[in-house]
Amino acid sequence: MQESAQPSPRPTVYHCPHCGGLVSIEDPTQTALQCPHCGGQFSIAGEEAPEHAATGAIDDAQAWAEMESRREGDLSELRIRQVASLRRGVYRTRSWLIIGASTCAVGFAQLVHLAIRDGRFGLRLGPMFDAILAVLAALIFWHFVARIRALSREIRESRMHDPATPPDFSTLSDGSQRWTNLDELANRTNIRER
């Protein structure tokens, strides 16, 4: 007697609560999952699988395509948080570079002053050492200035630009329908109470 081969069960698909990505599992008894997209871990104990995954009404390729289109949205919360944290990091880095460039400029001026002062007294080794350090401070200053310019350009480019066409507000209402809705609700409530 030959046993009929049972078809392998369809993998159950869950949405990651961190990034919204689809996570498919082979073992239905598995309760702890790790998202392959963001690396976040979550538990599915007692949760129901999405309707399309349980019934098999939608193809896995469609589910993955749906997930990808959702992840590509410009206004996703995760993307906004990432952009905001990157911008804060760039501002912080630029601030430190400005402080470093200012320190180098002051150090350069001080070292040039010391080199000139010590050169007038006939010292040879001290002014030469001060001059070498002044050149080094000037090079570091120009490096910091170049990085500050690059970061400022990056900040300007990362800002959202105005749309090419103005937004269409014609589909929005003026709010007067809310009074109508409240009146209808009050009338329904009065009818039920009678």
Side-chain angles (χ1 to χ4, degrees), residues 90-103:
V90 170
Y91 279 121
R92 189 178 307 119
T93 302
R94 187 177 68 167
S95 299
W96 283 109
L97 288 172
I98 290 171
I99 292 169
S102 302
T103 303

Side-chain angles (χ1 to χ4, degrees), residues 49 89 95 116 139 146 155 182:
S95 299
I116 291 172
L139 291 174
I155 290 170
L182 286 172

Side-chain angles (χ1 to χ4, degrees), residues 100-179:
S102 302
T103 303
C104 286
V106 170
F108 172 78
Q110 184 67 30
L111 288 168
V112 167
H113 173 70
L114 289 174
I116 291 172
R117 187 190 68 186
D118 290 345
R120 285 185 182 164
F121 291 123
L123 301 175
R124 296 180 187 242
L125 191 58
M128 189 177 353
F129 184 68
D130 290 338
I132 291 171
L133 287 178
V135 169
L136 183 64
L139 291 174
I140 294 172
F141 170 80
W142 285 113
H143 174 73
F144 284 168
V145 167
R147 291 283 297 138
I148 291 168
R149 286 181 181 159
L151 289 176
S152 297
R153 192 170 38 253
E154 182 180 332
I155 290 170
R156 275 193 307 272
E157 290 172 359
S158 70
R159 289 190 179 130
M160 294 202 55
H161 302 289
D162 291 334
T165 59
D168 180 24
F169 296 118
S170 63
T171 59
L172 299 176
S173 65
D174 62 353
S176 61
Q177 82 283 358
R178 292 187 183 264
W179 289 110

